[in-house]
Amino acid sequence: MRVRPMKTTDLGAAERLTARAFTWSGDDQTWSARSPAAARRWIERIDHLLAVDAAGCWVADDDAGRLAGVAASARRDLLWILSTFAVDPAGQNRGLGRALLDAAIGYGAGCLRGMICALPHPGALRRYRRAGFTLHPTMRLRGVVDRAELPVVDGVRTGTAADLDLVDSVDRQVRGATHRGDHAMLGRDGHLLVCDLFTGSGYVYVGTDTVTVLAATSRAVAQRLLWSALALIPPGNEVSVRYLTSGQEWAVDVGMAAGLGVYQDGYIALRHMRPPAPYVPSVSFG
Ligand SMILES: CC(C)(COP(=O)(O)OP(=O)(O)OC[C@H]1O[C@@H](n2cnc3c(N)ncnc32)[C@H](O)[C@@H]1OP(=O)(O)O)[C@@H](O)C(=O)NCCC(=O)NCCS
């Protein structure tokens, strides 16, 4: 086995490996491929990280030279974020995950803080805890928005490139690091809404079935943004709002009022920081 920096030519094999690792059923030894559109989006996202955070992206080859594992991470200001982490099911539990994670964490040397949206996978959680991360259990809101419950919300508008300084300022206050560098990716999959009032400010990226990321300087602003985001979900689509810690009751309350259900989700794994709030993390960009 050999751990080495990821190259653009690894992306196709890395996409297939992560699909296999994330959907592997040990019982019947089967897995599900991503749809062509989802595979393309995955490759574009990691290609983006390779361009911005080349030293945070690592792969492992097995002795036959086949791709055996992947870890891709980003550094935004003094925050390190793990974006994807997988080892081929045939090679798991032999220390490869640890070697890949060590390489990716090395890119975060000098970063005070770390953030991972983690799946509830015992091997992954063991690695994160052993690397010093605190595991915060989370909830997911899911369902079809009851449009009869949508309130009239003032003060929220579509954001443009001219709003990115405001977005940066909110991100710094709420999570201590901006998403500068990721807005092209976030904007590709989502619509930017911003709210800037005397009492607080915030932003949200919303897609057709998910609230990708939301940050605000007050719970009242966060609730306005979440309601506005839910109103943009095409009627009838199932929406998902993920990785909500128990401190995010402002979101749970909006979700329940909108007719969504509360389900268990994965963990936010954090190092040297408390769960940001009011905040809905981006699964890929923290
Ligand atoms: C998470 C993952 C990348 C780890 O890779 P790996 O090569 O298996 O990792 P390692 O062998 O270095 O470490 C796994 C550890 O978990 C332990 N482990 C695995 N399954 C376990 C279980 N069911 N219960 C308890 N411990 C378990 C292993 O014993 C090992 O611990 P140790 O080395 O301290 O003894 C790999 O399991 C994977 O691809 N999982 C599916 C995708 C996924 O969930 N990725 C993480 C997304 S957040």
Short mmCIF file of all heavy atoms in Angstrom, two decimals, residues 190-237:
data_model
loop_
_atom_site.label_atom_id
_atom_site.label_comp_id
_atom_site.label_asym_id
_atom_site.label_seq_id
_atom_site.Cartn_x
_atom_site.Cartn_y
_atom_site.Cartn_z
N GLY A 190 -26.86 25.59 -5.65
CA GLY A 190 -27.87 26.22 -4.80
C GLY A 190 -28.07 27.69 -5.13
O GLY A 190 -27.24 28.33 -5.78
N HIS A 191 -29.17 28.20 -4.63
CA HIS A 191 -29.56 29.61 -4.83
C HIS A 191 -29.19 30.34 -3.54
O HIS A 191 -29.53 29.89 -2.44
CB HIS A 191 -31.07 29.62 -5.09
CG HIS A 191 -31.61 30.96 -5.40
ND1 HIS A 191 -31.69 31.45 -6.69
CD2 HIS A 191 -32.12 31.92 -4.59
CE1 HIS A 191 -32.21 32.66 -6.66
NE2 HIS A 191 -32.48 32.97 -5.41
N LEU A 192 -28.52 31.49 -3.67
CA LEU A 192 -28.09 32.25 -2.48
C LEU A 192 -29.18 33.24 -2.07
O LEU A 192 -29.64 34.05 -2.89
CB LEU A 192 -26.79 32.99 -2.79
CG LEU A 192 -26.26 33.94 -1.70
CD1 LEU A 192 -25.90 33.17 -0.42
CD2 LEU A 192 -25.04 34.72 -2.20
N LEU A 193 -29.58 33.16 -0.80
CA LEU A 193 -30.48 34.16 -0.21
C LEU A 193 -29.72 34.87 0.91
O LEU A 193 -28.96 34.21 1.64
CB LEU A 193 -31.72 33.50 0.40
CG LEU A 193 -32.68 32.77 -0.54
CD1 LEU A 193 -33.77 32.06 0.29
CD2 LEU A 193 -33.31 33.73 -1.53
N VAL A 194 -29.92 36.17 1.06
CA VAL A 194 -29.27 36.89 2.15
C VAL A 194 -30.30 37.70 2.93
O VAL A 194 -31.37 38.04 2.40
CB VAL A 194 -28.14 37.83 1.66
CG1 VAL A 194 -27.02 37.05 1.01
CG2 VAL A 194 -28.68 38.88 0.72
N CYS A 195 -29.94 38.01 4.16
CA CYS A 195 -30.80 38.83 5.02
C CYS A 195 -29.86 39.77 5.78
O CYS A 195 -28.88 39.30 6.38
CB CYS A 195 -31.56 37.93 6.00
SG CYS A 195 -32.63 38.82 7.12
N ASP A 196 -30.11 41.06 5.71
CA ASP A 196 -29.21 42.02 6.37
C ASP A 196 -30.07 43.08 7.04
O ASP A 196 -30.55 44.02 6.39
CB ASP A 196 -28.28 42.65 5.31
CG ASP A 196 -27.15 43.43 5.94
OD1 ASP A 196 -26.92 43.25 7.16
OD2 ASP A 196 -26.51 44.22 5.23
N LEU A 197 -30.29 42.91 8.34
CA LEU A 197 -31.17 43.80 9.11
C LEU A 197 -30.36 44.49 10.20
O LEU A 197 -29.23 44.10 10.48
CB LEU A 197 -32.30 42.98 9.77
CG LEU A 197 -33.12 42.08 8.85
CD1 LEU A 197 -34.05 41.20 9.69
CD2 LEU A 197 -33.92 42.92 7.86
N PHE A 198 -30.96 45.49 10.86
CA PHE A 198 -30.27 46.13 12.00
C PHE A 198 -30.02 45.10 13.09
O PHE A 198 -29.05 45.17 13.82
CB PHE A 198 -31.12 47.27 12.56
CG PHE A 198 -31.10 48.49 11.69
CD1 PHE A 198 -32.27 49.01 11.15
CD2 PHE A 198 -29.90 49.11 11.37
CE1 PHE A 198 -32.25 50.11 10.35
CE2 PHE A 198 -29.87 50.23 10.56
CZ PHE A 198 -31.05 50.73 10.04
N THR A 199 -30.92 44.13 13.20
CA THR A 199 -30.86 43.17 14.31
C THR A 199 -29.94 41.98 14.03
O THR A 199 -29.70 41.16 14.92
CB THR A 199 -32.27 42.64 14.60
OG1 THR A 199 -32.83 42.20 13.35
CG2 THR A 199 -33.15 43.69 15.21
N GLY A 200 -29.48 41.84 12.80
CA GLY A 200 -28.61 40.70 12.49
C GLY A 200 -28.58 40.43 11.01
O GLY A 200 -29.34 41.03 10.24
N SER A 201 -27.70 39.53 10.61
CA SER A 201 -27.61 39.21 9.18
C SER A 201 -27.28 37.73 9.01
O SER A 201 -26.90 37.04 9.97
CB SER A 201 -26.57 40.09 8.49
OG SER A 201 -25.45 40.26 9.30
N GLY A 202 -27.45 37.26 7.77
CA GLY A 202 -27.18 35.85 7.50
C GLY A 202 -27.39 35.52 6.05
O GLY A 202 -27.74 36.39 5.24
N TYR A 203 -27.13 34.26 5.73
CA TYR A 203 -27.30 33.81 4.34
C TYR A 203 -27.65 32.32 4.35
O TYR A 203 -27.42 31.61 5.35
CB TYR A 203 -26.04 34.05 3.50
CG TYR A 203 -24.94 33.07 3.83
CD1 TYR A 203 -24.78 31.90 3.09
CD2 TYR A 203 -24.09 33.27 4.90
CE1 TYR A 203 -23.80 30.97 3.40
CE2 TYR A 203 -23.11 32.35 5.23
CZ TYR A 203 -22.97 31.20 4.47
OH TYR A 203 -22.01 30.28 4.79
N VAL A 204 -28.17 31.87 3.21
CA VAL A 204 -28.43 30.44 3.03
C VAL A 204 -28.24 30.11 1.55
O VAL A 204 -28.53 30.95 0.69
CB VAL A 204 -29.86 30.07 3.50
CG1 VAL A 204 -30.95 30.82 2.73
CG2 VAL A 204 -30.12 28.58 3.40
N TYR A 205 -27.69 28.92 1.26
CA TYR A 205 -27.73 28.37 -0.09
C TYR A 205 -28.77 27.26 -0.07
O TYR A 205 -28.70 26.35 0.78
CB TYR A 205 -26.38 27.76 -0.48
CG TYR A 205 -25.37 28.76 -0.99
CD1 TYR A 205 -24.39 29.28 -0.15
CD2 TYR A 205 -25.37 29.17 -2.32
CE1 TYR A 205 -23.44 30.18 -0.61
CE2 TYR A 205 -24.43 30.08 -2.79
CZ TYR A 205 -23.47 30.58 -1.94
OH TYR A 205 -22.54 31.47 -2.41
N VAL A 206 -29.72 27.32 -1.00
CA VAL A 206 -30.78 26.30 -1.04
C VAL A 206 -30.83 25.67 -2.43
O VAL A 206 -30.76 26.37 -3.44
CB VAL A 206 -32.15 26.91 -0.63
CG1 VAL A 206 -32.53 28.11 -1.47
CG2 VAL A 206 -33.25 25.87 -0.68
N GLY A 207 -30.90 24.33 -2.45
CA GLY A 207 -31.01 23.60 -3.72
C GLY A 207 -32.46 23.20 -3.96
O GLY A 207 -33.38 23.77 -3.38
N THR A 208 -32.66 22.19 -4.81
CA THR A 208 -34.04 21.78 -5.11
C THR A 208 -34.55 20.78 -4.07
O THR A 208 -35.75 20.52 -4.00
CB THR A 208 -34.13 21.13 -6.51
OG1 THR A 208 -33.15 20.09 -6.57
CG2 THR A 208 -33.88 22.14 -7.60
N ASP A 209 -33.65 20.21 -3.26
CA ASP A 209 -34.11 19.26 -2.25
C ASP A 209 -33.30 19.33 -0.96
O ASP A 209 -33.40 18.45 -0.12
CB ASP A 209 -34.08 17.82 -2.79
CG ASP A 209 -32.69 17.42 -3.25
OD1 ASP A 209 -31.75 18.22 -3.07
OD2 ASP A 209 -32.55 16.31 -3.78
N THR A 210 -32.51 20.38 -0.81
CA THR A 210 -31.71 20.48 0.41
C THR A 210 -31.33 21.92 0.72
O THR A 210 -31.21 22.74 -0.19
CB THR A 210 -30.43 19.62 0.28
OG1 THR A 210 -29.76 19.61 1.53
CG2 THR A 210 -29.47 20.15 -0.76
N VAL A 211 -31.18 22.19 2.02
CA VAL A 211 -30.60 23.46 2.45
C VAL A 211 -29.12 23.18 2.62
O VAL A 211 -28.70 22.48 3.54
CB VAL A 211 -31.27 23.94 3.75
CG1 VAL A 211 -30.54 25.16 4.31
CG2 VAL A 211 -32.73 24.25 3.50
N THR A 212 -28.31 23.69 1.70
CA THR A 212 -26.90 23.28 1.62
C THR A 212 -26.07 23.82 2.78
O THR A 212 -25.27 23.10 3.36
CB THR A 212 -26.28 23.78 0.31
OG1 THR A 212 -27.22 23.58 -0.73
CG2 THR A 212 -25.00 23.08 -0.01
N VAL A 213 -26.25 25.10 3.09
CA VAL A 213 -25.51 25.72 4.20
C VAL A 213 -26.29 26.97 4.62
O VAL A 213 -26.88 27.64 3.76
CB VAL A 213 -24.04 26.05 3.81
CG1 VAL A 213 -23.95 26.95 2.62
CG2 VAL A 213 -23.26 26.65 4.97
N LEU A 214 -26.31 27.23 5.92
CA LEU A 214 -27.01 28.42 6.43
C LEU A 214 -26.22 28.93 7.63
O LEU A 214 -25.82 28.15 8.50
CB LEU A 214 -28.45 28.07 6.84
CG LEU A 214 -29.37 29.21 7.32
CD1 LEU A 214 -30.84 28.84 7.10
CD2 LEU A 214 -29.15 29.61 8.77
N ALA A 215 -26.00 30.25 7.68
CA ALA A 215 -25.36 30.85 8.85
C ALA A 215 -26.03 32.20 9.12
O ALA A 215 -26.38 32.91 8.16
CB ALA A 215 -23.86 31.05 8.63
N ALA A 216 -26.18 32.54 10.38
CA ALA A 216 -26.79 33.83 10.73
C ALA A 216 -26.25 34.28 12.08
O ALA A 216 -25.78 33.47 12.87
CB ALA A 216 -28.31 33.70 10.78
N THR A 217 -26.36 35.59 12.32
CA THR A 217 -25.84 36.13 13.58
C THR A 217 -26.90 36.14 14.67
O THR A 217 -26.60 36.51 15.81
CB THR A 217 -25.27 37.55 13.38
OG1 THR A 217 -26.32 38.39 12.91
CG2 THR A 217 -24.11 37.56 12.40
N SER A 218 -28.14 35.77 14.31
CA SER A 218 -29.17 35.64 15.35
C SER A 218 -30.13 34.53 14.94
O SER A 218 -30.29 34.24 13.76
CB SER A 218 -29.95 36.95 15.55
OG SER A 218 -30.90 37.11 14.51
N ARG A 219 -30.80 33.94 15.96
CA ARG A 219 -31.75 32.86 15.65
C ARG A 219 -32.93 33.38 14.86
O ARG A 219 -33.45 32.70 13.98
CB ARG A 219 -32.22 32.21 16.96
CG ARG A 219 -31.14 31.33 17.59
CD ARG A 219 -31.72 30.50 18.73
NE ARG A 219 -32.15 31.34 19.84
CZ ARG A 219 -31.34 31.77 20.81
NH1 ARG A 219 -30.07 31.40 20.81
NH2 ARG A 219 -31.79 32.54 21.77
N ALA A 220 -33.34 34.63 15.14
CA ALA A 220 -34.50 35.19 14.42
C ALA A 220 -34.19 35.31 12.93
O ALA A 220 -35.02 34.98 12.07
CB ALA A 220 -34.88 36.54 15.01
N VAL A 221 -32.98 35.77 12.61
CA VAL A 221 -32.58 35.88 11.19
C VAL A 221 -32.46 34.48 10.58
O VAL A 221 -32.88 34.24 9.45
CB VAL A 221 -31.27 36.69 11.05
CG1 VAL A 221 -30.70 36.56 9.65
CG2 VAL A 221 -31.51 38.14 11.40
N ALA A 222 -31.89 33.55 11.34
CA ALA A 222 -31.75 32.17 10.83
C ALA A 222 -33.13 31.59 10.50
O ALA A 222 -33.29 30.92 9.47
CB ALA A 222 -31.03 31.30 11.86
N GLN A 223 -34.12 31.86 11.35
CA GLN A 223 -35.45 31.31 11.08
C GLN A 223 -36.07 31.95 9.84
O GLN A 223 -36.69 31.28 9.02
CB GLN A 223 -36.35 31.52 12.30
CG GLN A 223 -35.95 30.59 13.45
CD GLN A 223 -36.94 30.56 14.59
OE1 GLN A 223 -37.50 31.59 14.96
NE2 GLN A 223 -37.16 29.38 15.16
N ARG A 224 -35.88 33.27 9.67
CA ARG A 224 -36.38 33.92 8.44
C ARG A 224 -35.76 33.26 7.22
O ARG A 224 -36.43 33.00 6.21
CB ARG A 224 -35.96 35.39 8.41
CG ARG A 224 -36.77 36.31 9.26
CD ARG A 224 -36.19 37.72 9.11
NE ARG A 224 -36.76 38.59 10.11
CZ ARG A 224 -37.37 39.74 9.83
NH1 ARG A 224 -37.48 40.15 8.59
NH2 ARG A 224 -37.86 40.48 10.79
N LEU A 225 -34.45 33.02 7.28
CA LEU A 225 -33.75 32.44 6.12
C LEU A 225 -34.22 31.01 5.87
O LEU A 225 -34.41 30.61 4.71
CB LEU A 225 -32.23 32.47 6.36
CG LEU A 225 -31.60 33.85 6.22
CD1 LEU A 225 -30.23 33.89 6.91
CD2 LEU A 225 -31.44 34.22 4.74
N LEU A 226 -34.41 30.23 6.94
CA LEU A 226 -34.83 28.84 6.72
C LEU A 226 -36.24 28.80 6.13
O LEU A 226 -36.51 28.04 5.20
CB LEU A 226 -34.76 28.05 8.03
CG LEU A 226 -35.05 26.56 7.91
CD1 LEU A 226 -34.19 25.89 6.83
CD2 LEU A 226 -34.85 25.84 9.24
N TRP A 227 -37.15 29.63 6.63
CA TRP A 227 -38.50 29.68 6.04
C TRP A 227 -38.41 30.06 4.56
O TRP A 227 -39.09 29.47 3.71
CB TRP A 227 -39.38 30.69 6.78
CG TRP A 227 -40.08 30.16 8.00
CD1 TRP A 227 -39.96 30.61 9.27
CD2 TRP A 227 -41.05 29.09 8.05
NE1 TRP A 227 -40.77 29.89 10.12
CE2 TRP A 227 -41.47 28.96 9.40
CE3 TRP A 227 -41.62 28.24 7.10
CZ2 TRP A 227 -42.40 28.01 9.81
CZ3 TRP A 227 -42.55 27.28 7.51
CH2 TRP A 227 -42.93 27.19 8.84
N SER A 228 -37.59 31.06 4.26
CA SER A 228 -37.48 31.52 2.86
C SER A 228 -36.90 30.42 1.98
O SER A 228 -37.30 30.24 0.82
CB SER A 228 -36.61 32.76 2.77
OG SER A 228 -37.10 33.76 3.62
N ALA A 229 -35.93 29.68 2.53
CA ALA A 229 -35.32 28.57 1.78
C ALA A 229 -36.37 27.48 1.52
O ALA A 229 -36.50 26.98 0.40
CB ALA A 229 -34.14 28.00 2.55
N LEU A 230 -37.15 27.13 2.55
CA LEU A 230 -38.17 26.08 2.38
C LEU A 230 -39.21 26.50 1.34
O LEU A 230 -39.72 25.67 0.58
CB LEU A 230 -38.83 25.76 3.72
CG LEU A 230 -37.92 25.14 4.78
CD1 LEU A 230 -38.69 24.86 6.07
CD2 LEU A 230 -37.25 23.85 4.29
N ALA A 231 -39.49 27.81 1.29
CA ALA A 231 -40.47 28.30 0.31
C ALA A 231 -39.95 28.13 -1.12
O ALA A 231 -40.75 28.04 -2.06
CB ALA A 231 -40.78 29.78 0.58
N LEU A 232 -38.62 28.07 -1.29
CA LEU A 232 -38.04 27.93 -2.64
C LEU A 232 -37.98 26.48 -3.11
O LEU A 232 -37.70 26.22 -4.28
CB LEU A 232 -36.61 28.49 -2.66
CG LEU A 232 -36.43 30.00 -2.81
CD1 LEU A 232 -34.96 30.30 -3.03
CD2 LEU A 232 -37.26 30.55 -3.96
N ILE A 233 -38.16 25.53 -2.20
CA ILE A 233 -38.14 24.11 -2.60
C ILE A 233 -39.35 23.86 -3.52
O ILE A 233 -40.47 24.21 -3.16
CB ILE A 233 -38.22 23.19 -1.36
CG1 ILE A 233 -37.05 23.45 -0.40
CG2 ILE A 233 -38.29 21.72 -1.77
CD1 ILE A 233 -35.69 23.05 -0.89
N PRO A 234 -39.13 23.29 -4.69
CA PRO A 234 -40.28 23.06 -5.58
C PRO A 234 -41.37 22.24 -4.88
O PRO A 234 -41.06 21.26 -4.18
CB PRO A 234 -39.66 22.28 -6.76
CG PRO A 234 -38.22 22.67 -6.74
CD PRO A 234 -37.86 22.87 -5.30
N PRO A 235 -42.64 22.67 -5.01
CA PRO A 235 -43.73 21.97 -4.31
C PRO A 235 -43.70 20.47 -4.58
O PRO A 235 -43.50 20.05 -5.71
CB PRO A 235 -44.99 22.62 -4.91
CG PRO A 235 -44.53 23.97 -5.36
CD PRO A 235 -43.11 23.81 -5.80
N GLY A 236 -43.84 19.69 -3.53
CA GLY A 236 -43.88 18.23 -3.67
C GLY A 236 -42.52 17.58 -3.49
O GLY A 236 -42.44 16.37 -3.23
N ASN A 237 -41.43 18.34 -3.64
CA ASN A 237 -40.09 17.74 -3.45
C ASN A 237 -39.86 17.43 -1.98
O ASN A 237 -40.20 18.25 -1.11
CB ASN A 237 -38.98 18.71 -3.89
CG ASN A 237 -38.71 18.62 -5.37
OD1 ASN A 237 -39.53 18.13 -6.13
ND2 ASN A 237 -37.55 19.12 -5.78
#
